[in-house]
Amino acid sequence: MPLNIAEKIIQSHMVYGGMKAGEPIGLRVDEVYTQDATGTMAWLQFEAIGIDTVKVPVAVSYVDHNMVQSNYMNPDDHAFLQSAARRFGAYFSRPGNGICHQVNLERFAVPGKIALGTDSHTPTNGGAGMLAIGVGGLDAAVVMGGAPFALNMPMVTLIKLSGQLRRPYVTAMDVILEILRRLTVKGGVGRIFEYGGEGVASLDVTERATITNMGAELGATTSIFPSDNRTKEFLRAQGREGDWIELKADDGSKYADIIDIDLAAVEPMVARPHSPDNVATVRELAGTKVDQVCIGGCTNSSYQSLRAVAGILRGKTVAERVNLLINPGSRQVYDMIASDGSLRELAAAGARVLESSCGPCIGMGGAPGSGQVSVRTFNRNFEGRSGTKDAKVFLASPITCAAAAVAGEFSDVLSSSLNIPTPQEPDKYPVCDNMIIPPSADKGAIIKGPNIREVPVKSPLADEINAEVLITLGDNITTDDIMPAGAKVLPFRSNIPAISEFVFSNIDSGFVKRAQEARPHGGGIIVGGENYGQGSSREHAALAPMYLGVQAVIARSFARIHRSNLINFGILPLTFEDAAVAAKISVGDRLIIKGIRDSVKNGQPCAVENASNGLQFTCASNLNERERELILIGGLLPYTKSKTSL
């Protein structure tokens, strides 16, 4: 039977299940990587499982998020991560080496392999023909322990590219923004996006990676490009030609659907506040004043991108009222722009060049001023994510951003007089892996600072939930809404009691107090709308609510990773069978679900009574057999520890 690219990789890694959309499958995994904002908890969970060494061929621990060292917390986490990598047999990418996705693309991505990462933008590696999937930390820990990765088989959608971009004005960022404009942040739920068509050959690997990176904003399980001669050229330039294989779809392979994109018709695009799918053309926004510009991040920080930006800024000065920040994606990229003079050109124009880290994208420094307009080459513009609640954050390509930095406003680059270079892919990248520490036979001791606490574990599911509604929410609630990021919150990622104080703090400052008061009296329930939990893979958006006593989340639908994280920590995800019921539930109502263990075991709808107003309704759990076991026992950690072996 002819197979598409995703099916070929899945079939070659299948441990159980079949390739029918929606069917539970288990996959053998080749690589697991973590970053410090999620990795501290992932490695604590791995330690709690009680296994001596990682069981996957490659494990990498990166430090790239929590870089601001304003006190002991972040450096303590870095020391813990380095000691855990040494103890359990993982590579360790030291602070300053770069953003996990960019470095992994350069040094570890292999066509035809499967990678899991504790970051939702792990699909960046799909630019090199790797099936790379973002997961929660506990999923990663269990897979590092030797278990197959469990998920439901996604549908595969072909995005068929034709034509060529109008370079240098139109970039890969504009392509993915155009797809977001068409499909929205819910358009990829339950899907893998596979790119094909004659237009693929015109995109280099870093451009492809920009597109697969922001597939996460579509809600997709992952995105992937073929492995072709462009992939081979990239790996050869990285000194890794031996990792290359050709990978393409068979003639006659099937897809759930096909989306056609004419690259020549794409024009410069911008995502407006406060969602990556709120997309308009740059022409529509021309003249809008800009206060801050941020270029880099894991989406657009390749050498080619920064070289083009330096070319635009050459001989110019950043507009008087604009603050320009640039964070190269990796030390390799930093080295290249330093060697060819681009770094000098950026600095001379007035740019503030930051270290190779996530930086402003995650709210770790670089916050805009009150009410300011910030235009960024990053992948998310959720309200408050930048570190400033009332900032207006736009997303755009490096070309559009650089033009805005010079002009002080959005301008139509297609009709501009800017001298915009089109840098070519290097024949050879400067490879220096001295900031990546390989696994060592000398295991050493694990180092834990005072802010690092043990992993909380939920009790098994009770036969009745009798709990208070703590909050009611609308559609597209993000993990940033549930568990904020930023320099104030991120340092508590290894301290669940402390970080729990910030749950929903940007939406409802009274949530935590209500949850704490309800916890001794049956706990709480969250009521949400469509696509609840979109955005980051951060499991803290499930783990902290679990610590606060949340028993269930009832929503119209869930984002994939967050739903998995809820199940992993024993919080029951339920969907309304009648969506209109949600409007009849208020904060403070008491919901009672009786006989819930039997309902979960048998896959039956759960009967819910609102004791506050007499309303009765039903909810579906839609759990597969493995998910039922996890919920019944209290989550993935107690489930895993109950097994004699993985």
Side-chain angles (χ1 to χ4, degrees), residues 36 39 103 106 112 205 235 239 242 303 361 382 441-442 454 542 552 589 615:
D36 49 315
V103 177
E106 295 167 354
V205 166
L235 291 173
Y303 168 70
C361 181
F382 302 143
D442 177 17
E454 299 305 311
D589 286 357
L615 177 69

Side-chain angles (χ1 to χ4, degrees), residues 167-237:
R167 303 178 189 276
Y169 311 101
V170 184
T171 75
M173 181 69 166
D174 301 305
V175 176
I176 189 61
L177 288 175
E178 168 63 17
I179 296 171
L180 276 157
R181 183 188 69 80
R182 295 191 194 186
L183 302 183
T184 81
V185 292
K186 298 183 288 186
V189 174
R191 295 178 182 273
I192 293 173
F193 287 117
E194 180 173 311
Y195 288 82
E198 51 89 10
V200 164
S202 70
L203 301 174
D204 67 31
V205 166
T206 57
E207 291 174 317
R208 298 173 184 186
T210 291
I211 293 170
T212 58
N213 173 283
M214 282 193 71
E217 275 54 67
L218 292 159
T221 300
T222 192
S223 302
I224 190 168
F225 275 81
S227 175
D228 55 13
N229 284 334
R230 298 301 295 263
T231 319
K232 188 175 184 178
E233 290 168 7
F234 174 79
L235 291 173
R236 180 192 294 123

Side-chain angles (χ1 to χ4, degrees), residues 310-317 345 348-349:
I312 294 172
L313 294 177
R314 184 183 299 119
K316 299 180 178 64
T317 301
E345 292 167 347

Side-chain angles (χ1 to χ4, degrees), residues 59 82 85-86 90-94 433-440:
Q82 184 169 352
R86 177 178 289 272
Y91 290 87
F92 179 71
S93 178
R94 296 167 64 181
D433 289 335
N434 66 337
M435 292 286 280
I436 299 176
I437 301 173
S440 171

Side-chain angles (χ1 to χ4, degrees), residues 378-413:
F378 305 154
N379 41 46
R380 290 189 176 140
N381 59 344
F382 302 143
E383 188 174 11
R385 180 180 170 90
S386 67
T388 304
K389 176 72 172 175
D390 62 352
K392 300 174 181 66
V393 177
F394 296 75
L395 307 176
S397 76
I399 301 301
T400 298
C401 283
V406 171
E409 62 186 31
F410 281 113
S411 58
D412 181 7
V413 294

